[in-house]
Amino acid sequence: MAMLGQRRQQRPATRKRLESPGAKRDDEGSVVIERLAHDGRGVAHNLDGKILFIEQALPGEEVEVAVHTQHGRYDEGHVRRILKASDERVTPGCAHFGRCGGCDLQHLAIEGQRRHKQQVLREHLARHDITLPDPLSLAAEAWGYRRRARLGVRVGSDDRIHMGYRVRGQDRLFNIEQCPILDPRLEALLQPLRALLETLEVPRRVGHIELVAGDDHVMITLRQLRRVPGDLARWQQFAREQDLLLSLLCGEGEKPVAERLDDKPDVWPHYRALPGDDALSIQVQSGDFLQANAGVNHQLVAQVLDWAEVHQDMPVVDLFAGVGNFSLTLAAAGAQVIAYEGRESMVQRLRDNAESAGVSARIEARCTDLASAPPGLETASLVVLDPPRAGAQGICQALAESGPSRVLYVSCEPATLARDVHLLVSGGYRLVRAAVADMFPQTAHLESLVLLERQPK
């Protein structure tokens, strides 16, 4: 991934850190911020013309800068003092902003954040000589939206317990007191969880804690390196008191043993693919992929359905189908869906969800390695794909050679999306519609949806 303004792997000989104890930071004086880099940092030039990437600086601002990392072609710094502030600068809504490695745009008004994300997508496509159609904006609440989170747990050499997120740019944890982007049900658990950790016999055995808020239930998944019976009993009591579902992943290695610790082993969190549609209620279990923002996901699913223009028995292939986020809605609209997913556990969940939604006759779920294209894509009327950050290069190469008339691509990484769209366009497709989904407000992360149509030869 090579996005302008993002931190890259540097050659040690050309990089100089200025953050060691007692080191003097280089003072660049005042500069005017020209624009935002793709990762949300301000971009300016020093008196010698060298590029500066400046944390928490906004376009049009005049700031005094301290450089903390030097590179051959550019330097990285932070704001020492704001001399002239942007009209779009706002007070961050979280006390941990700047230290936490999660949010990086809380100082920018939400309207500015969304304009920036559209511009990022536009610039990535432009690098491949592709023009972005005027994109739709899919957005919901700017706070309290995140319905899944992972909390690291670590016991220091002084036996102090740390529970929270990673410090920005570092591998160490810091204790979080609040996280206002979390679903309020999850944020309300932060203090009780920390208090519980203080009571454990062997807190060092806790690896991390995963929180998921469904429409109906909140679930904790505890990653435990080894079983500690007394501590597991404390977790069970906590789950009963807080009315939580509780799951345990225990053991070392990539495939720990999973088990339920609560008294509701057959109950799992569910979410609705579309608001108010109880028929499309999707079950998720520990480790399943879940879009973090319910409100934006509703709009994303609705947009996919609108652009799909489903007619009765229309053949659709859904790649990276997960537990059925798009497959179920398309099948309910009348499509015949072949859904491919790389994890057998999620394939089985998709089948179960299709059965519960009454559309199992319209969905064939298959498990396959999606590093390359599965067979039969050319027989579909539409291919929908929602790959991870690495994108779907091999699949898009195959689609470019012999794909269907339309492709709907949902992306969580604009750089790989632009690469893959370039492959499709080179193979005869045209980008006709686009939407930018603000799935993660207060961060520079963006999701997008594009529709491509094959042009007649």
Side-chain angles (χ1 to χ4, degrees):
M1 180 173 68
M3 293 197 300
L4 179 62
Q6 282 206 331
R7 294 171 176 81
R8 310 170 191 170
Q9 298 243 344
Q10 300 299 320
R11 296 173 183 169
T14 63
R15 179 173 178 171
K16 179 182 178 184
R17 295 290 296 183
L18 301 172
E19 296 182 302
S20 59
K24 181 180 179 181
R25 299 172 186 267
D26 286 6
D27 192 341
E28 289 291 345
S30 67
V31 297
V32 175
I33 306 303
E34 303 159 19
R35 57 188 173 83
L36 287 183
H38 291 172
D39 64 0
R41 291 182 291 173
V43 179
H45 289 78
N46 66 13
L47 293 176
D48 297 324
K50 192 175 186 181
I51 295 176
L52 301 173
F53 292 114
I54 306 164
E55 297 172 359
Q56 300 179 37
L58 299 177
E61 292 188 329
E62 183 179 359
V63 299
E64 288 184 356
V65 179
V67 171
H68 53 248
T69 309
Q70 293 180 333
H71 304 271
R73 294 185 300 167
Y74 65 93
D75 291 340
E76 298 177 280
H78 56 274
V79 176
R80 294 188 62 184
R81 186 161 67 103
I82 299 174
L83 303 177
K84 178 185 176 184
S86 166
D87 291 340
E88 291 195 306
R89 178 172 286 277
V90 296
T91 301
C94 179
H96 301 306
F97 177 69
R99 189 183 187 199
C100 177
C103 297
D104 38 31
L105 286 179
Q106 285 189 19
H107 59 301
L108 176 60
I110 191 64
E111 296 82 5
Q113 294 182 31
R114 290 167 181 162
R115 285 198 309 274
H116 168 64
K117 293 174 184 182
Q118 290 191 7
Q119 184 62 23
V120 168
L121 181 58
R122 184 173 289 108
E123 291 176 2
H124 274 294
L125 289 168
R127 290 179 177 180
H128 296 276
D129 297 321
I130 299 170
T131 300
L132 176 70
D134 288 339
L136 299 175
S137 178
L138 310 182
E141 296 296 326
W143 300 96
Y145 65 84
R146 191 177 179 98
R147 58 182 174 181
R148 59 182 172 87
R150 174 179 289 193
L151 304 172
V153 178
R154 184 174 297 171
V155 180
S157 58
D158 57 358
D159 291 332
R160 293 182 59 188
I161 297 173
H162 303 274
M163 184 201 78
Y165 303 137
R166 298 192 186 280
V167 175
R168 180 172 298 278
Q170 300 181 32
D171 192 37
R172 62 188 182 90
L173 297 176
F174 73 98
N175 290 316
I176 59 170
E177 305 296 330
Q178 61 174 151
C179 183
I181 67 168
L182 284 182
D183 181 305
R185 294 172 294 170
L186 301 186
E187 188 182 27
L189 291 172
L190 296 179
Q191 296 298 333
L193 280 170
R194 176 162 179 78
L196 173 63
L197 290 172
E198 297 286 354
T199 71
L200 298 183
E201 296 174 20
V202 193
R204 293 181 186 275
R205 297 281 171 83
V206 180
H208 61 255
I209 302 166
E210 292 185 356
L211 307 177
V212 171
D215 292 352
D216 47 3
H217 299 285
V218 172
M219 181 167 189
I220 290 182
T221 297
L222 174 66
R223 181 68 166 90
Q224 188 97 3
L225 302 181
R226 295 181 184 177
R227 295 179 66 90
V228 182
D231 285 349
L232 296 184
R234 291 178 176 87
W235 281 102
Q236 290 172 312
Q237 179 62 28
F238 179 81
R240 285 191 292 269
E241 293 172 351
Q242 299 285 339
D243 192 24
L244 304 170
L245 304 181
L246 180 61
S247 181
L248 173 69
L249 294 175
C250 189
E252 300 183 9
E254 295 183 359
K255 293 184 178 180
V257 177
E259 64 179 286
R260 288 291 290 274
L261 294 182
D262 53 51
D263 55 2
K264 304 173 184 177
D266 298 323
V267 178
W268 296 90
H270 287 72
Y271 74 92
R272 294 173 180 83
L274 293 171
D277 192 341
D278 291 328
L280 294 177
S281 183
I282 300 176
Q283 179 195 104
V284 288
Q285 296 188 14
S286 300
D288 290 348
F289 176 76
L290 170 68
Q291 288 284 15
N293 190 319
V296 173
N297 188 59
H298 288 159
Q299 297 177 52
L300 190 62
V301 172
Q303 201 62 62
V304 166
L305 183 61
D306 180 39
W307 289 355
E309 298 178 349
V310 175
H311 56 77
Q312 194 65 23
D313 296 328
M314 170 179 159
V316 174
V317 172
D318 184 11
L319 304 175
F320 308 93
V323 296
N325 194 47
F326 299 118
S327 295
L328 296 180
T329 306
L330 293 166
Q336 287 292 146
V337 181
I338 300 178
Y340 289 96
E341 168 55 41
R343 286 175 51 190
E344 182 60 49
S345 60
M346 288 205 288
V347 171
Q348 186 56 53
R349 209 96 61 245
L350 197 162
R351 293 173 180 144
D352 294 342
N353 287 328
E355 182 72 30
S356 298
V359 295
S360 58
R362 293 191 169 276
I363 295 181
E364 180 182 351
R366 302 176 181 175
C367 184
T368 190
D369 181 2
L370 290 170
S372 58
L377 297 184
E378 68 280 357
T379 64
S381 295
L382 172 72
V383 167
V384 178
L385 61 158
D386 183 11
R389 283 179 172 268
Q393 186 172 10
I395 289 172
C396 287
Q397 287 172 338
L399 288 171
E401 294 172 5
S402 59
S405 59
R406 292 185 301 151
V407 173
L408 267 171
Y409 192 132
V410 182
S411 169
C412 61
E413 173 49 66
T416 55
L417 171 69
R419 178 202 66 200
D420 293 348
V421 168
H422 174 68
L423 290 171
L424 294 170
V425 169
S426 299
Y429 285 91
R430 182 170 67 93
L431 177 59
V432 295
R433 292 183 181 178
V436 175
D438 194 13
M439 191 70 73
F440 296 92
Q442 316 306 332
T443 81
H445 181 83
L446 70 96
E447 303 231 355
S448 51
L449 168 67
V450 295
L451 173 64
L452 297 106
E453 295 180 350
R454 186 175 284 283
Q455 301 305 292
K457 295 182 179 179

